[in-house]
Amino acid sequence: MDVYEAVTTRRSVRGFIDKEVPRDVIERVLTAAAWAPSGSNIQPWNIYVVTGSPLAELKKRAVGRVADGVLWDDREYVMYPPAMKSPYRDRREAFGNERYSALGIAREDWEARQRAAIANWDCFGAPAALFCYIDRDLGVAQWADLGMYLQSVMLLLRAEGLHSCPQMAWSQVHNTVAEVLSPPSELMLFCGMSIGYEDAAVEYVRTGRAPLGETVTFIGDQGARP
């Protein structure tokens, strides 16, 4: 699989089969992903890979608390701006409409949306999960480094025939995650990532992308189109 194919076939899969992901594959992926760029090579990512009974316990606790209506943990970072402007708000709303329409859930059916959301904390059935932490003392630029690292992980997983789903939703239950993983107190949970083999029986709608001219500006004449 070449790089272009890995990039264009990567997507957030929300349905996995119960097939073990070999540890040597995960180790190979994470060893290569460590070559992702970071400012001054500080490599700010702190990764926990969870499988087997610890993951089963974490899923049980997270799904249970969400199903019981326990309030989210105190936010440690802002996931989305409270007043998101266009075009970002429009893209987010379009994604939500596409996702829930594919599941046959009406916009006003809040209970059904909640049931669908609970699948996040079951890792959509995935047998492996990655949790990405960052030191609380680091800054905004280091958060960008996390993004480059995680993208490298997801593309390398595609090269191994695997799929993934990055999930900031786990940050909403970071205390529950900490109960199982016991990270040092100086680390903050950024996101989780479900990892596994896709369940082809789960239907999905591939979300679109903005046209190039909407997000990219070319300046200069070199290579300009006639």
Side-chain angles (χ1 to χ4, degrees):
M1 181 181 294
D2 67 21
V3 177
Y4 279 89
E5 184 179 359
V7 170
T8 56
T9 61
R10 186 221 63 82
R11 60 186 182 83
S12 296
V13 165
R14 293 179 173 85
F16 296 88
I17 60 174
D18 185 19
K19 177 181 177 181
E20 180 181 352
V21 178
R23 176 167 175 162
D24 65 311
V25 172
I26 296 179
E27 289 184 349
R28 184 162 59 243
V29 164
L30 298 182
T31 298
W35 290 98
S38 61
S40 298
N41 195 34
I42 67 171
Q43 304 168 62
W45 43 84
N46 294 267
I47 304 301
Y48 290 74
V49 178
V50 190
T51 59
S53 56
L55 181 58
E57 177 64 21
L58 178 51
K59 289 179 178 181
K60 177 183 176 182
R61 294 189 187 196
V63 169
R65 68 167 284 178
V66 176
D68 290 343
V70 177
L71 295 176
W72 300 131
D73 296 330
D74 291 339
R75 295 282 192 184
E76 296 196 289
Y77 69 90
V78 178
M79 194 178 296
Y80 298 104
M84 191 178 293
K85 63 185 180 182
S86 180
Y88 316 110
R89 179 187 65 249
D90 304 331
R91 293 172 187 160
R92 186 183 182 195
E93 290 177 352
F95 164 75
N97 291 335
E98 289 175 355
R99 167 153 169 70
Y100 291 112
S101 293
L103 295 172
I105 298 174
R107 181 183 180 87
E108 65 277 5
D109 193 343
W110 180 247
E111 290 187 2
R113 287 189 171 219
Q114 287 292 89
R115 288 194 298 272
I118 284 177
N120 270 287
W121 295 283
D122 186 48
C123 295
F124 303 105
L130 173 157
F131 293 88
C132 181
Y133 284 81
I134 187 169
D135 196 293
R136 299 176 189 279
D137 292 336
L138 296 179
V140 175
Q142 287 73 57
W143 286 72
D145 293 340
L146 290 189
M148 291 186 280
Y149 172 83
L150 293 169
Q151 174 76 336
S152 298
V153 170
M154 291 184 282
L155 296 182
L156 288 162
L157 288 170
R158 289 299 302 122
E160 296 285 354
L162 291 157
H163 274 284
S164 61
C165 183
Q167 299 160 267
M168 288 191 295
W170 280 102
S171 69
Q172 297 172 297
V173 294
H174 58 85
N175 286 332
T176 299
V177 178
E179 290 172 4
V180 177
L181 305 190
S182 300
S185 60
E186 66 266 22
L187 296 184
M188 178 192 309
L189 179 61
F190 170 49
C191 73
M193 181 188 295
S194 298
I195 297 172
Y197 297 94
E198 180 183 11
D199 184 350
V202 176
E203 295 185 6
Y204 75 97
V205 175
R206 184 73 191 269
T207 55
R209 293 295 185 267
L212 196 66
E214 189 174 312
T215 60
V216 178
T217 300
F218 288 94
I219 299 175
D221 297 331
Q222 186 175 2
R225 292 183 179 178

